[in-house]
Amino acid sequence: MPSKPAKVIWLQGITCNGNTHSFLNDPSLGALLESIEFIHHPILPCKKTLKELVKKLPKSDILIFEGAYRADFERAGVKMETLLVTLASKTKHIIALGSCASFGGIFKEASPEHISGILFDKESESGPLQTLRKKVITLSGCPIHPKWLSFVLDMIVQGKKITLDEYRRPKELYGYLVHNGCLRNEYFEWKVDSDHFGTKEGCLYYAQGCQGPFTHGSCNKILWNEVSSKTRAGTPCVGCTEPSYPRTELFSTKTYMSIPAEMPLGIPKRSYLALAGAAKSFHIKRLEGKLIDDNA
Ligand code: SF4
Ligand code: SF4
């Protein structure tokens, strides 16, 4: 453990504060705060208020940016194009926190021409921090799981290497699909669907638009509140970690002649259809009934 805590600035762009609140749910936050020190944070105790921060724009070890970027959006009377770019040039590591900071996210919908992430604008690497790209780590999610952020902060503090994917997301967290580890995989395999939210049985891909087979994230590996995930609770993944988020019609599956328009990632259509056809021809009683039947 380094002798001095790492100096962290948490700056907000256009945001709903979702990542700020999610981070407070990390049970190991107390231990983490022994190895980092916030120069500025929107709600946690810190050294400088926002007004004090913008007067000097100090150096830091880590800059966390939450929310979407718009050049003329102001914080404490200073435009984001000055605030973000100056703080980013004076730090060692930059974390794009949440889907808005990563790709533009939901706020981009309000003004697609002017709003983006800090490095990416949807899939395109055309955000304001292009020249500082090597410092950027992307943590997409709407919001992020608190453990994803504490994992990255801890790796930085320990001086460990973080392997990144094409969007500069840590592979340790985003190398998996949400589909991995979902308790409904057996239903997916045998094409048994669920039509309703909140059921214990059935896969949510065919009728409810579940994005688990296309979405990179460890939601079924690092569980939310340490107990569950969307798909475990019976609601479809809406793909919030991907640059394409948000899509329209979140809870429906687009089909052509009853065949899902999008194939699970990396699966050729022909192979999928052959397997799906064979799987559907079986009727497995165990999977068609209730897991827990109160009237049995
Ligand atoms: S509910 Fe979603 S994540 Fe789970 S098995 Fe079905 S498609 Fe995959
Ligand atoms: S389950 Fe899907 S929508 Fe929910 S947090 Fe994970 S990636 Fe985002």
Side-chain angles (χ1 to χ4, degrees), residues 119 125 129-137 166 168:
L119 178 58
E125 198 174 312
L129 297 191
Q130 285 169 76
T131 54
L132 301 171
R133 71 179 301 279
K134 284 198 174 151
K135 292 189 196 177
V136 178
I137 295 173
E166 60 183 315
R168 302 194 66 76

Side-chain angles (χ1 to χ4, degrees), residues 73-150:
F73 181 75
E74 292 184 6
R75 285 275 178 212
V78 182
K79 288 201 169 89
M80 223 19 96
E81 60 189 348
T82 305
L83 204 47
L84 170 67
V85 177
T86 310
L87 288 172
S89 63
K90 291 184 178 180
T91 194
K92 296 179 192 147
H93 305 272
I94 302 163
I95 299 175
L97 190 66
S99 293
C100 297
S102 301
F103 304 118
I106 283 182
F107 286 103
K108 185 175 169 61
E109 303 293 300
S111 183
E113 297 285 297
H114 302 107
I115 295 179
S116 67
I118 58 174
L119 178 58
F120 291 94
D121 184 0
K122 292 278 185 186
E123 288 85 1
S124 141
E125 198 174 312
S126 53
L129 297 191
Q130 285 169 76
T131 54
L132 301 171
R133 71 179 301 279
K134 284 198 174 151
K135 292 189 196 177
V136 178
I137 295 173
T138 300
L139 281 183
S140 52
C142 188
I144 49 97
H145 190 300
K147 289 266 180 227
W148 304 347
L149 178 56
S150 40

Side-chain angles (χ1 to χ4, degrees), residues 90-272:
K90 291 184 178 180
T91 194
K92 296 179 192 147
H93 305 272
I94 302 163
I95 299 175
L97 190 66
S99 293
C100 297
S102 301
F103 304 118
I106 283 182
F107 286 103
K108 185 175 169 61
E109 303 293 300
S111 183
E113 297 285 297
H114 302 107
I115 295 179
S116 67
I118 58 174
L119 178 58
F120 291 94
D121 184 0
K122 292 278 185 186
E123 288 85 1
S124 141
E125 198 174 312
S126 53
L129 297 191
Q130 285 169 76
T131 54
L132 301 171
R133 71 179 301 279
K134 284 198 174 151
K135 292 189 196 177
V136 178
I137 295 173
T138 300
L139 281 183
S140 52
C142 188
I144 49 97
H145 190 300
K147 289 266 180 227
W148 304 347
L149 178 56
S150 40
F151 167 79
V152 169
L153 289 172
D154 198 45
M155 292 290 276
I156 294 174
V157 168
Q158 303 289 334
K160 292 189 181 158
K161 184 173 186 290
I162 305 173
T163 310
L164 304 174
D165 72 7
E166 60 183 315
Y167 294 117
R168 302 194 66 76
R169 299 177 296 195
K171 283 192 176 170
E172 189 66 40
L173 302 170
Y174 297 86
Y176 301 81
L177 293 178
V178 171
H179 186 65
N180 280 153
C182 176
L183 298 181
R184 295 169 193 269
N185 264 303
E186 203 183 10
Y187 294 104
F188 178 89
E189 222 172 294
W190 296 104
K191 311 299 163 215
V192 178
D193 314 355
S194 166
D195 291 333
H196 306 291
F197 282 180
T199 60
K200 286 187 169 46
E201 307 82 9
C203 172
L204 315 167
Y205 174 57
Y206 309 96
Q208 299 193 51
C210 183
Q211 296 290 295
F214 325 104
T215 302
H216 294 89
S218 42
C219 300
N220 277 310
K221 180 182 171 229
I222 304 173
L223 298 177
W224 287 78
N225 293 326
E226 303 189 321
V227 290
S228 196
S229 69
K230 275 201 183 79
T231 62
R232 288 184 183 210
T235 52
C237 167
V238 295
C240 78
T241 57
E242 295 299 331
S244 54
Y245 175 80
R247 64 188 182 102
T248 51
E249 297 176 55
L250 286 182
F251 302 121
S252 66
T253 305
K254 209 175 182 184
T255 55
Y256 293 121
M257 297 165 68
S258 318
I259 297 163
E262 259 185 293
M263 293 293 109
L265 207 64
I267 313 280
K269 195 167 197 171
R270 192 178 287 189
S271 319
Y272 176 81

